[in-house]
Amino acid sequence: MKKLAIISEFNPFHNGHKYLIDKAKEFTKTDLAISLMSGDFVQRGEASLIDKYSRAEAALDNGFDLVIEMPNFISLQSAEFFSYKSIELLNKLKIDYLAFGIENLDSEKFLEISAKIINNNELVEELTKNFIDSKHSFTEARYLALKKFLGVDDFISSNNILALEYIRSISKINPQIKPIPIRRLGANNQDLNIKDEKFASSTSIRRNLSGNIKKLMPYSSYQKLKDFQENYKIASKEKLFDIFKYKLMIEESPIKDSLCYEEGLDNYFRQLLKNNPSYDEFINLAVSRRNTKARVKRLMINYILNNHKYLNEIDFNFVKVLAFNEKATRIFRDIKEDLRIVIRKSDIENLSSDDLLIYENMVKASNLYSLLIERDFNSDFTRNISIKKTYEAN
């Protein structure tokens, strides 16, 4: 059984995502399409627009057979760790292909440039270190290093850098996995405004929720977004910030072991918080040449969730299923000797202590999200998993 995977957020699921899965399935002719999807907190260090179950159901409606939840300690990390830990998990699912979106270049050119970068890794790392030593953030240093190495910057975008890290991780973990880069249509990942009648980035859709976004999303995804908005509030940044301030300033819980922490940030943050800024004011003040907005936001949530650096060393061996159809039961049979499959609460009984630690942290993140959107707690135990008997595109 050939398996295709896509690492995703689907925040929200839009026509570009539909194009990606359709093209990937067309190219690979695989038997099963898997999404490893971020939970309720995404890589930019923010709460998702709609919850993980709604996004998973939209994915299932539009071409995927199985959606599994990415542990939040993975989704709340930089591209390097995000990609490596994701590929590490997908390799245990024995995937054959990994598809992902790219920008500005065709697939062959992208693979050619990626190979050139990876084959000259020592030089790129040396250039990156030089820029870090010049007080640039890692993200900025990597950008400048690649620009200097390649001599051009049409390759360099956040989407392409993440795609490069996927390929790098595949080369380290299992070179037999075949990368499938697919060029985006109509909009790039960081576009803030809607420029096309059919395709727009997730960012521009989130920024224009009161506008005419219906044509930019598959019907089922649009309906799930509207239903969610009718039932819940948008996740409160200020409420999240209050928890962060309490923990750092009043409880004085150590932050040094948190993922994304860099030496000196605890004292710097405490200084900024003395004047009681708002969430946005704090983020703008905390940003520096060494610390991007995304890093600061990720650190805040990792700190709240007690996501410590040792989590990166854990070799966990389970998958938490968010949605699946009948076809996916075939993979459950194939992997059950290697991975525990968690669909309902009773499935956690056989988890190892390390697996249980990761699982409980995923539930904790879900409850934090519930607090921010004013939803009942423990939705992971009360929400029915979406199971489709047949695949029907909407």
Side-chain angles (χ1 to χ4, degrees):
M1 179 173 59
K2 294 292 185 180
K3 297 182 284 291
L4 161 72
I6 292 177
I7 300 167
S8 60
E9 290 183 349
F10 299 149
N11 186 35
F13 192 102
H14 55 63
N15 291 340
H17 297 132
K18 176 66 173 166
Y19 174 81
L20 175 63
I21 181 60
D22 287 349
K23 278 294 179 183
K25 290 169 75 172
E26 177 187 327
F27 290 157
T28 61
K29 310 297 183 187
T30 46
D31 304 296
L32 197 76
I34 303 167
S35 169
L36 173 59
M37 191 187 77
S38 299
D40 292 321
F41 293 94
V42 296
Q43 199 203 10
R44 67 184 52 82
E46 297 173 357
S48 59
L49 176 63
I50 55 177
D51 77 332
K52 58 191 179 186
Y53 290 104
S54 300
R55 289 179 285 126
E57 289 168 4
L60 208 67
D61 288 340
N62 289 282
F64 286 91
D65 303 298
L66 171 64
V67 184
I68 59 179
E69 181 178 353
M70 182 187 296
N72 60 78
F73 84 91
I74 298 176
S75 64
L76 291 167
Q77 293 208 61
S78 64
E80 180 183 0
F81 288 99
F82 177 94
S83 61
Y84 189 86
K85 298 301 288 187
S86 295
I87 302 299
E88 198 173 53
L89 177 56
L90 288 172
N91 187 50
K92 293 179 181 180
L93 288 164
K94 302 175 184 177
I95 66 166
D96 300 281
Y97 304 94
L98 180 77
F100 45 83
I102 57 171
E103 298 167 345
N104 306 324
L105 301 164
D106 63 39
S107 298
E108 291 304 316
K109 187 64 175 177
F110 180 86
L111 290 172
E112 177 188 324
I113 294 175
S114 296
K116 179 180 178 181
I117 293 169
I118 292 170
N119 291 336
N120 290 274
N121 187 61
E122 288 187 9
L123 175 57
V124 174
E125 290 296 329
E126 183 181 344
L127 290 171
T128 302
K129 183 180 182 301
N130 291 340
F131 284 115
I132 290 174
D133 291 343
S134 300
K135 306 302 181 183
H136 292 279
S137 70
F138 176 81
T139 302
E140 193 175 21
R142 180 68 87 195
Y143 169 85
L144 292 169
L146 288 174
K147 184 176 180 180
K148 186 171 184 178
F149 173 72
L150 296 172
V152 293
D153 62 359
D154 57 341
F155 176 87
I156 306 168
S157 70
S158 59
N159 219 42
N160 285 359
I161 295 301
L162 182 57
L164 169 65
E165 292 302 330
Y166 289 152
I167 296 174
R168 192 194 306 275
S169 297
I170 286 172
S171 70
K172 292 177 181 177
I173 295 169
N174 183 1
Q176 297 305 309
I177 297 171
K178 185 173 181 180
I180 308 293
I182 297 174
R183 186 169 182 173
R184 295 173 66 104
L185 289 184
N188 287 334
N189 189 49
Q190 295 301 312
D191 286 349
L192 301 181
N193 299 312
I194 296 171
K195 304 174 182 178
D196 189 279
E197 291 184 358
K198 188 175 181 181
F199 294 99
S201 68
S202 296
T203 302
S204 61
I205 291 174
R206 290 193 302 272
R207 285 172 57 94
N208 294 277
L209 292 175
S210 60
N212 184 19
I213 61 172
K214 188 173 183 178
K215 293 181 179 180
L216 302 171
M217 304 168 65
Y219 175 78
S220 63
S221 180
Y222 178 77
Q223 285 303 123
K224 285 176 173 57
L225 171 59
K226 289 301 162 187
D227 291 345
F228 193 82
Q229 288 179 314
E230 288 177 6
N231 288 294
Y232 304 106
K233 295 185 176 182
I234 292 177
S236 170
K237 297 186 296 185
E238 295 303 331
K239 192 176 290 186
L240 181 78
F241 190 43
D242 284 343
I243 298 169
F244 172 75
K245 287 187 289 187
Y246 174 84
K247 191 168 182 178
L248 188 66
M249 300 296 285
I250 300 174
E251 190 178 86
E252 297 185 339
S253 177
I255 192 174
K256 291 185 177 182
D257 291 329
S258 300
L259 289 167
C260 301
Y261 174 80
E262 187 170 301
E263 190 65 36
L265 283 179
D266 45 351
N267 293 329
Y268 182 51
F269 285 175
R270 287 190 174 101
Q271 282 296 119
L272 296 178
L273 290 172
K274 285 182 179 179
N275 295 325
N276 201 27
S278 67
Y279 173 90
D280 288 331
E281 289 170 342
F282 172 78
I283 296 298
N284 289 331
L285 289 168
V287 168
S288 67
R289 292 186 71 181
R290 294 187 69 91
N291 296 297
T292 63
K293 282 188 177 183
R295 179 175 187 151
V296 173
K297 292 177 180 180
R298 288 194 292 260
L299 172 57
M300 289 171 63
I301 301 175
N302 280 321
Y303 175 54
I304 290 170
L305 293 173
N306 294 321
N307 283 345
H308 291 171
K309 295 173 183 176
Y310 68 80
L311 291 175
N312 279 337
E313 307 305 317
I314 292 178
D315 181 27
F316 66 94
N317 292 285
F318 77 97
V319 290
K320 187 173 184 295
V321 176
L322 296 176
F324 67 99
N325 62 22
E326 283 185 333
K327 284 174 63 177
T329 59
R330 295 170 59 189
I331 193 176
F332 296 158
R333 292 193 295 268
D334 288 348
I335 67 172
K336 66 180 181 180
E337 299 300 322
D338 303 307
L339 288 173
R340 300 292 182 186
I341 302 160
V342 177
I343 299 174
R344 54 190 66 84
K345 188 177 181 181
S346 59
D347 293 331
I348 71 174
E349 294 176 1
N350 296 319
L351 295 183
S352 69
S353 57
D354 281 345
D355 287 351
L356 190 60
L357 176 67
I358 301 296
Y359 173 81
E360 289 176 343
N361 196 258
M362 295 164 81
V363 174
K364 185 192 299 182
S366 181
N367 280 333
L368 174 61
Y369 185 75
S370 293
L371 182 65
L372 302 181
I373 66 169
E374 299 185 10
R375 178 181 67 183
D376 291 345
F377 286 115
N378 295 324
S379 64
D380 284 55
F381 305 141
T382 58
R383 177 74 177 253
N384 291 327
I385 298 295
S386 180
I387 309 170
K388 284 188 175 293
K389 289 189 176 181
T390 57
Y391 164 59
E392 296 178 358
N394 288 313

